[in-house]
Amino acid sequence: MHEQTHLPICAALLRLNAIAELPLYEAFSQFLSVPLLQQRDWDTGLMQDDEAVRALGLSLNWLKSKGLCLLRAPEGPTKVAFKEQPEADVWQMLLRKTAALGMELQPAVLTPTLFEAITARSTESSSTQMGLQDDLRALRELAEEGPTIELVNTMLSRGVTQRASDLHFEPEEAGFVVRARIDGDMLELARYGRDRFDAVACRIKILSSLDIAERRLPQDGRISARVNGEAFDIRVSVLPGVHGESIVLRLLRQERKPTRLQDLGMTAAQAELLTAWSNLPNGIVLVTGPTGSGKSTTLYTTLELANDRSKKIITVEDPVEYKIHGITQLQVNADIGFTFAAALRSILRHDPDTILLGEIRDEETARIAIQSALTGHLVLSTLHTNSAIGAVTRLVDMGIEPFLIAASVRGLMAQRLVRRLCDHCAVPDAEPDDAVLAMLQRMSFSDRSRLRKPVGCPHCSGTGFWGRIAVYDMIDITPDMGHRIAAGDGESALLQMLGRHQDDGLLRSGVEMVVRGATTLGEVLRSTAGG
């Protein structure tokens, strides 16, 4: 076999499955009277000796082609490790070079599996370091070329034009795709060849002041730019993936256009109740829902309506998504200890009337918020729960005593986002299906005259939907409910007091939107499931 294939003897034996790798190389090590390196040696600090490689005027690729690698422990001489007995002329050349430099090389044997693992890792690391400057220089040049700049700018422009909240640059094995999140769903905008991705990624990193040389760790940055004539604060997130770095751009307009509560999807009664809450002299109003359910938008709109310049309003956010004129806005920075709790303690010295707290995440923040509410401040904040009444259970789980919750919380609100039917193509639904009829009957809605269904047109990119509206479940904490909360009643008892099931609030609000012709039952069920 060895003579027929010209394979080294150990490789030939392994190919024949004549013997397992480790026993074979233990015998090979004993035959040569050379120590055998194992995985534990590598795990305890043995590493590629890049200095020895450079000093000998060699390259990692050349050494690998000869079945060799130069390794060194943190303390100890350089080892020349091999998986097969080296060729005589190669070994003699190594001896001459090391003798001329006064170096000492200790021979060692290692298995092919470990050899491949070490050389693959070391070759990649070393070649990256050796060619890093040239690579970065070339990348920067590509990133500054017209086609790359045009591609990035075009994607930003298309994203803004199509009302995208996020742009996703996703590398694949043979190319990369740019997708946008529009009305909560992902839509593919374009596909490009893989050869363009590195330049595009570098362009985005340069714009967001990120390290273009770092490709192994996540990075976060930001870009301030004008797109289609509007000022945007673009949040950049980079994650290393199997096929390269996945990049997401969050598109945030720096200026918000004033919005009415009814424009968000609230009924007149809901808008009136939230307005009453926002005018309270003290207490806590909590908005609940999953990430991306529009909680911040609702709170911003509430603040804008309450901002008549007769009150001192301060917000603490992570991050500050929109800038509001006449309001003091703070951004937390956990890296320097400026957390929600720390910020909340400090801003109380500024005598605010209303405080918007981006999120209550822990007991410390919750206690300071409650203390603020009990000492004459109105606190608006969010919680991640599935339902409005679930906010009570969440605060108890954090360690807050029920009597403090009852004394401070004034209102609870849950919300979800549903896609709005496109007004350009939606048509009347004269014959709704059985599921719609059953839901209308369950919720005691008899009017079917305004039901609509999607069609799809160029304006909505064929989806049948344009924009999103929120559905709300609002619970006013009355004195009677406060007594029940203080007594420690759970969700079931509180819902029974309200005379409804867990899903009735959000679902009823959503079905009302269906009856008004704003959306479809499928959208409502998809968004309110579990809430």
Side-chain angles (χ1 to χ4, degrees):
M1 174 71 177
H2 173 56
E3 289 76 17
Q4 291 175 349
T5 63
H6 303 290
L7 286 173
I9 185 63
C10 290
L13 290 171
L14 289 175
R15 179 167 295 188
L16 284 172
N17 287 328
I19 186 173
E21 184 181 80
L22 186 56
L24 172 62
Y25 274 82
E26 286 175 342
F28 183 47
S29 169
Q30 293 174 5
F31 174 75
L32 296 177
S33 298
V34 171
L36 174 66
L37 298 178
Q38 300 193 46
Q39 182 66 45
R40 61 175 176 266
D41 299 303
W42 181 251
D43 293 340
T44 55
L46 198 65
M47 65 186 70
Q48 174 75 34
D49 193 342
D50 293 325
E51 292 183 8
V53 174
R54 288 192 293 269
L56 292 170
L58 304 174
S59 72
L60 292 174
N61 287 332
W62 182 86
L63 286 167
K64 184 178 180 180
S65 70
K66 300 301 180 182
L68 303 171
C69 58
L70 300 185
L71 306 171
R72 180 174 58 84
E75 294 182 4
T78 298
K79 298 180 183 294
V80 54
F82 46 83
K83 57 180 178 177
E84 293 285 350
Q85 192 165 357
E87 299 171 10
D89 58 339
V90 172
W91 191 252
Q92 290 299 323
M93 181 270 291
L94 274 178
L95 292 178
R96 286 196 305 270
K97 283 181 172 287
T98 54
L101 295 173
M103 293 175 58
E104 178 187 359
L105 289 182
Q106 291 186 353
V109 173
L110 73 172
T111 64
T113 300
L114 185 55
F115 179 89
E116 291 300 325
I118 291 174
T119 54
R121 197 180 323 173
S122 302
T123 302
E124 178 184 2
S125 175
S126 179
S127 60
T128 299
Q129 293 174 5
M130 293 172 67
L132 182 59
Q133 295 305 318
D134 290 339
D135 289 346
L136 295 184
R137 190 178 299 111
L139 264 181
R140 283 184 178 277
E141 291 174 358
L142 287 172
E144 298 298 336
E145 288 183 351
T148 303
I149 295 174
E150 183 180 355
L151 188 155
V152 174
N153 290 347
T154 298
M155 289 300 101
L156 286 172
S157 178
R158 287 187 61 184
V160 170
T161 300
Q162 298 193 40
R163 304 168 295 106
S165 59
D166 307 272
L167 282 178
H168 298 245
F169 293 76
E170 301 170 336
E172 298 175 345
E173 188 172 1
F176 76 96
V177 61
V178 182
R179 299 199 295 167
R181 187 174 293 280
I182 301 171
D183 297 336
D185 290 347
M186 297 294 287
L187 177 68
E188 184 174 311
L189 297 184
R191 282 184 174 272
Y192 297 97
R194 188 66 176 82
D195 58 327
R196 303 190 67 181
F197 181 74
D198 288 343
V200 170
C202 183
R203 174 68 182 169
I204 294 172
K205 284 184 176 182
I206 290 172
L207 292 174
S208 52
S209 301
L210 297 180
D211 183 358
I212 65 173
E214 180 56 72
R215 300 181 184 179
R216 300 164 301 172
L217 296 173
Q219 296 189 76
D220 294 302
R222 60 190 299 172
I223 304 170
S224 293
R226 296 193 69 83
V227 184
N228 296 356
E230 292 185 79
F232 279 82
D233 184 16
I234 303 171
R235 306 300 168 92
V236 181
S237 178
V238 181
L239 284 177
V242 175
H243 298 299
E245 293 174 302
S246 176
I247 302 174
V248 177
L249 309 184
R250 178 85 185 276
L251 307 178
L252 299 171
R253 284 177 171 82
Q254 291 186 0
E255 297 294 334
R256 274 174 47 86
K257 296 178 181 178
T259 307
R260 299 181 309 157
L261 293 175
Q262 287 88 341
D263 295 334
L264 300 180
M266 285 190 181
T267 64
Q270 289 172 336
E272 183 179 354
L273 180 55
L274 183 56
T275 301
W277 286 347
S278 67
N279 289 322
L280 291 171
N282 55 64
I284 298 178
V285 176
L286 295 173
V287 183
T288 73
T291 300
S293 58
K295 301 186 296 296
S296 296
T297 300
T298 297
L299 289 178
Y300 275 124
T301 303
T302 304
L303 283 186
E304 288 169 340
L305 295 175
N307 184 24
D308 59 2
R309 306 308 295 271
S310 66
K311 298 177 181 178
K312 174 75 171 182
I313 302 175
I314 301 179
T315 74
V316 187
E317 306 167 65
D318 183 22
V320 174
E321 294 190 6
Y322 300 105
K323 298 174 184 176
I324 305 177
H325 181 69
I327 292 177
T328 302
Q329 295 176 271
L330 311 179
Q331 180 163 318
V332 301
N333 187 344
D335 292 339
I336 61 173
F338 191 56
T339 61
F340 280 114
L344 193 50
R345 279 193 297 265
S346 298
I347 65 177
L348 292 177
R349 304 186 188 102
H350 283 241
D351 191 28
D353 297 292
T354 303
I355 301 167
L356 187 152
L357 189 60
E359 182 183 350
I360 294 178
R361 298 177 177 175
D362 51 46
E363 180 183 356
E364 182 184 14
T365 306
R367 287 195 178 278
I368 300 173
I370 288 173
Q371 189 62 35
S372 303
L374 294 175
T375 54
H377 305 86
L378 177 64
V379 180
L380 310 178
S381 191
T382 69
L383 272 177
H384 285 287
T385 64
N386 288 329
S387 63
I389 203 67
V392 175
T393 303
R394 180 77 180 99
L395 289 174
V396 171
D397 289 343
M398 285 183 178
I400 306 302
E401 295 80 359
F403 75 88
L404 287 177
I405 299 173
S408 58
V409 177
R410 298 288 180 265
L412 301 173
M413 178 167 61
Q415 70 177 82
R416 300 290 190 275
L417 293 177
V418 298
R419 292 187 296 173
R420 186 198 302 263
L421 283 166
C422 174
D423 289 332
H424 288 75
C425 63
V427 297
D429 189 2
E431 298 181 0
D433 59 31
D434 292 342
V436 174
L437 294 175
M439 184 60 70
L440 295 182
Q441 183 177 7
R442 172 186 165 185
M443 295 291 176
S444 301
F445 287 107
S446 57
D447 184 10
R448 295 183 291 172
S449 62
R450 290 187 290 174
L451 294 179
R452 297 194 299 170
K453 59 184 178 181
V455 175
C457 66
H459 179 73
C460 61
S461 301
T463 64
F465 297 90
W466 178 266
R468 289 189 291 179
I469 51 176
V471 294
Y472 296 94
D473 176 22
M474 303 177 69
I475 299 176
D476 192 32
I477 305 300
T478 62
D480 287 344
M481 176 162 284
H483 291 320
R484 300 288 291 273
I485 292 173
D489 284 5
E491 288 187 36
S492 298
L494 295 175
L495 286 171
Q496 186 177 7
M497 178 185 177
L498 292 170
R500 63 185 189 181
H501 299 292
Q502 177 75 25
D503 62 352
D504 275 1
L506 282 172
L507 187 57
R508 175 171 291 279
S509 179
V511 173
E512 185 171 350
M513 289 291 179
V514 175
V515 172
R516 288 161 53 185
T519 188
T520 66
L521 181 61
E523 278 295 302
V524 171
L525 294 177
R526 184 178 71 163
S527 298
T528 62

